[in-house]
Amino acid sequence: MSAPFPVIVCGATTDDVENALAETWNAKTVWEKTSVDERANCLERAANLFEENMPELITLLCMEGGKQLLDCVSEIREAVDFCRYYAARARKDLQPATLQGPTGELNQLSLHPRGIMVCISPWNFPLAIFTGQIVAALVAGNCVIAKPAEQTPLIATKAIQLLHSAGIPANVLQLLPGRGEIVGAKLVADTRTAGVMFTGSTETARLINQTLANRPGPIIPFIAETGGQNAMIVDSSALAEQVVSDVISSAFNSAGQRCSALRVLFLQEDIAPRVIEMLQGAMREMSLGDPALLATDVGPVIDQDALNMLNNHFNDMQKNATLIYQVETPPPANGYFFPPCAFELKNVSLLKKEIFGPFLHIIRYAEKDLDTILEQIIQTGYGLTLGVHSRIDATVKYIQERMPVGNMYVNRNIIGAVVGVQPFGGEQLSGTGPKAGGPHYLHRLCVERAISINTT
């Protein structure tokens, strides 16, 4: 999608990066000494402002990010939840803790800000992930330089304006839109940067990690959330109607452009024909079109590069797999639209990388081969989300004990993690942890200091 009005976005230059680093460096002592309670108050005021400005945020998310209206509302809700959750955690977690020790000695452990945190966020959740990274770092007492995705600078700008209006000083929180090789590279390489928070591709995460390893100065934290070859395993005891509903939402909501989206559906062969027939019927009812219309089920993908990638993969799958169904709704003339599709293939090894979009792959398996498909999933190297549909508790437990994944969902869809309820983040190629929206996140953004006092 594109905005219905002329928009000019000026990307930051290397001089802008230097100025932002200098500004936040000078501001970090004052912000560090601001009380935890006041920093938390800023986040809570920001949450209120996000809610008050929901119509404008929905418009930006829809027009710039191509998000369907219900997804817009959910994303704003998630950004609000991040603000309120991290404010509450800060009041609890950032207080000094008195430790047990010998009589006549006082021992305390306290958490302190690291300094300047660089937050690099993706286009697929340009408000929620963007905001979540920033407010977590801020409430922990760090200054922040935020580098949004190149595709979604307007949403980022509005979010920063609201955070400033909530009381975050302008020199404490800086926004630098622009190209990653200019803005991100310089920020990551600068020794004034005390930590990097990143959500995006595994390839970019590796480049950041290499830059951090090669630069002089202290070794700093790198929090990365990357992609996943997310699977769902459905055995013959599953309720087919529920499976189809959860597969449709998991694979095609947000045009499949979620880190947690379903990529590979493993169907036990006993139930596969019925589920596939029902899936075809459900996809036949899906509407592809303008995300601003409530009747639309699936909107556009983010840009021409994404559309080209999906078209190329579709052509490859036509040679190596069997087309189950592709949505037939004619796409609008303007925008980057790819009709959702499902292919059946023989082995997950045909998928060399994550296909980020409304593209579902289906593989049948025999009951005796459950261990084989578990191993195939493990061998992809990813560990973000996994779905299991089974009414046999022993099967669920068996899979849970064997699979190294960050988030496992049983008898439900595998998207839409709720802040504070389902902390989100993967392992292996899918991220470093700690989990976003979880109770351990703020600790990673701080340094620990202990003091021992002889009170006798």
Side-chain angles (χ1 to χ4, degrees), residues 354-374:
E354 179 185 19
I355 302 302
F356 208 74
F359 211 119
L360 177 65
H361 309 88
I362 300 173
I363 299 175
R364 303 187 196 212
Y365 75 96
E367 180 183 11
K368 64 181 179 59
D369 294 329
L370 177 60
D371 285 334
T372 300
I373 67 165
L374 294 181

Side-chain angles (χ1 to χ4, degrees), residues 15-16 59 61 76 80 101 107 112 177 195 208 236 257 290 313 315 340 357 388 400 403 405 409 415 417 435 437 442:
D15 288 341
D16 294 326
T59 302
L61 286 165
I76 296 167
V80 169
N107 295 283
H112 302 265
I208 294 173
S236 59
Q257 298 175 125
D290 185 345
H313 185 65
N315 293 334
V388 177
Q400 178 188 3
M403 297 304 292
V405 295
Y409 299 95
I415 59 173
K435 285 179 173 292
L442 296 185

Side-chain angles (χ1 to χ4, degrees), residues 135-452:
V135 297
L138 288 172
V139 81
N142 301 289
C143 290
V144 171
I145 301 176
K147 192 272 177 206
E150 295 173 42
Q151 296 92 334
T152 52
L154 301 183
I155 298 166
T157 300
K158 183 61 181 180
I160 295 296
Q161 290 172 349
L162 293 177
L163 288 166
H164 285 160
S165 297
I168 306 296
N171 57 354
V172 169
L173 173 59
Q174 304 266 329
L175 176 67
L176 290 179
R179 295 168 56 190
E181 55 267 36
I182 294 176
V183 179
K186 183 170 174 57
L187 288 171
V188 171
D190 197 287
T191 55
R192 286 168 289 187
T193 295
V196 177
M197 304 162 73
F198 170 79
T199 301
S201 71
T202 304
E203 293 76 13
T204 303
R206 282 199 183 99
L207 292 174
I208 294 173
N209 194 43
Q210 290 167 1
T211 300
L212 293 176
N214 292 329
R215 73 175 209 172
I219 298 171
I220 66 171
F222 177 37
I223 299 172
E225 181 190 313
T226 53
Q229 196 67 279
N230 307 310
M232 180 183 288
I233 300 169
V234 178
D235 74 8
S236 59
S237 73
L239 184 64
E241 293 83 356
Q242 183 181 354
V243 170
V244 171
S245 175
D246 290 342
V247 167
I248 291 289
S249 60
S250 298
F252 303 132
N253 272 27
S254 305
Q257 298 175 125
R258 292 173 178 252
C259 305
S260 57
L262 174 60
R263 308 299 178 200
V264 186
L265 173 63
F266 288 91
L267 288 176
Q268 189 172 326
E269 58 188 9
D270 312 68
I271 197 176
R274 182 171 179 231
V275 171
I276 290 174
E277 181 182 4
M278 293 175 66
L279 183 63
Q280 290 170 326
M283 293 181 68
R284 198 171 290 120
E285 300 300 315
M286 293 176 66
S287 172
L288 176 71
D290 185 345
L293 301 178
L294 283 172
T296 296
D297 296 311
V298 179
V301 295
I302 190 63
D303 57 22
Q304 188 64 54
D305 288 343
L307 183 58
N308 292 342
M309 179 275 295
L310 290 164
N311 284 328
N312 291 337
H313 185 65
F314 186 91
N315 293 334
D316 289 342
M317 286 292 100
Q318 283 191 309
K319 302 171 186 174
N320 301 305
T322 303
L323 178 64
I324 296 296
Y325 193 80
Q326 184 169 34
V327 172
E328 297 175 354
T329 307
N334 297 320
Y336 308 105
F337 290 90
F338 180 84
C341 66
F343 275 85
E344 183 173 352
L345 52 154
K346 297 297 184 183
N347 195 288
V348 74
S349 62
L350 287 173
L351 304 176
K352 304 303 180 184
K353 62 179 182 178
E354 179 185 19
I355 302 302
F356 208 74
F359 211 119
L360 177 65
H361 309 88
I362 300 173
I363 299 175
R364 303 187 196 212
Y365 75 96
E367 180 183 11
K368 64 181 179 59
D369 294 329
L370 177 60
D371 285 334
T372 300
I373 67 165
L374 294 181
E375 185 59 28
Q376 287 178 6
I377 296 170
I378 293 171
Q379 288 303 313
T380 67
Y382 293 96
L384 189 54
T385 60
L386 173 70
V388 177
H389 267 269
S390 175
R391 288 186 279 185
I392 303 173
D393 291 344
T395 299
V396 174
K397 184 178 180 182
Y398 184 86
I399 295 172
Q400 178 188 3
E401 291 175 346
R402 282 157 179 78
M403 297 304 292
V405 295
N407 289 74
M408 179 171 162
Y409 299 95
V410 179
N411 295 331
R412 51 152 288 170
N413 65 35
I414 66 172
I415 59 173
V418 178
V419 173
V421 179
Q422 296 143 354
F424 186 76
E427 52 195 82
Q428 301 186 93
L429 293 179
S430 295
T432 63
K435 285 179 173 292
H440 305 140
Y441 202 70
L442 296 185
H443 294 77
R444 186 65 174 140
L445 307 177
C446 301
V447 294
E448 296 180 282
R449 296 172 186 164
I451 183 170
S452 298

